[in-house]
Amino acid sequence: MSQSPRRPGAGAGAARLAEILRVDHAGELGAVHIYRGQRAVLGGAPGRERIAGQLEEMEAHEARHLARFETLLAERGVRPTLLTPLWRLAGFALGAGTALMGEKAAHACTEAVETVIGEHYANQVRELSPCQPDLAAELSEFQAEELAHRDLAVEEGARDAPGYPLLAAVIRAGCRTAIRISEKI
């Protein structure tokens, strides 16, 4: 995904940084709720201790990222997206829905989401490195964790999920749309 075009004029850098922080906060919020939805379905099921542990660990990473973005929003006076309640609900529904389709579909969801987020963070790191190197470094660390989630999902059979090509394409498109909306609203 390409980065947003730079705006000319005074305050353009601050406005773009606000978009970045807002969308990253929204993404981490959505991710936390995806994993909560998956855990609600798979977490207590007998014989699913392995995936339950994986989901719990990935949710903990996302919760740590979310907490950091909440701090950054407060420090920089940036409001979160107005769609926060929708992203909570949509994330939980996506997580629970894919988990109801089975473990491989839950992993396919993770693979699709984390692929888009990995690309998204890579673009932001390139954009921010010259002007916000500390934030870029932090986003690079978050990206590494997101890509580790993706890789685990692939190892666990994400691409063997029923209807994987369609499921992954729909989830990726939804993530890209949510990114664009959350930057602005």
Side-chain angles (χ1 to χ4, degrees):
M1 181 160 121
S2 64
Q3 65 191 31
S4 295
R6 293 190 186 268
R7 290 181 232 151
R16 177 62 184 135
L17 182 59
E19 287 178 351
I20 288 170
L21 295 176
R22 182 174 19 267
V23 72
D24 290 353
H25 175 265
E28 298 298 347
L29 178 91
V32 164
H33 286 82
I34 288 170
Y35 288 123
R36 285 183 183 167
Q38 290 176 339
R39 287 180 57 215
V41 172
L42 298 171
R48 301 250 168 99
E49 293 80 13
R50 178 180 164 151
I51 191 170
Q54 292 169 339
L55 295 172
E56 185 175 7
E57 182 177 344
M58 289 186 288
E59 182 185 332
H61 293 159
E62 306 298 355
R64 185 173 50 79
H65 301 171
L66 176 60
R68 179 63 181 136
F69 283 114
E70 287 174 348
T71 298
L72 288 167
L73 289 178
E75 287 174 355
R76 312 254 177 140
V78 175
R79 68 162 175 78
T81 177
L82 299 174
L83 298 175
T84 295
L86 176 62
W87 294 158
R88 282 188 184 111
L89 178 62
F92 190 89
L94 178 60
T98 55
L100 286 168
M101 295 169 63
E103 287 185 34
K104 290 190 186 314
H107 286 303
C109 175
T110 296
E111 186 268 339
V113 169
E114 301 296 21
T115 296
V116 172
I117 300 308
E119 294 165 359
H120 177 71
Y121 275 144
N123 290 333
Q124 289 182 340
V125 168
R126 275 192 298 279
E127 181 179 352
L128 292 173
S129 289
C131 57
Q132 297 273 339
D134 292 341
L135 180 58
E138 202 165 8
L139 295 182
S140 185
E141 290 174 21
F142 292 173
Q143 178 196 25
E145 288 182 350
E146 307 296 358
L147 294 177
H149 298 168
R150 179 204 61 198
D151 294 346
L152 174 64
V154 171
E155 289 170 18
E156 293 292 328
R159 295 178 180 157
D160 298 327
Y164 168 78
L166 179 61
L167 179 64
V170 168
I171 293 169
R172 285 184 186 126
C175 288
R176 288 183 180 109
T177 300
I179 287 169
R180 289 175 200 229
I181 291 169
S182 294
E183 281 181 334
K184 307 297 181 194
I185 297 176

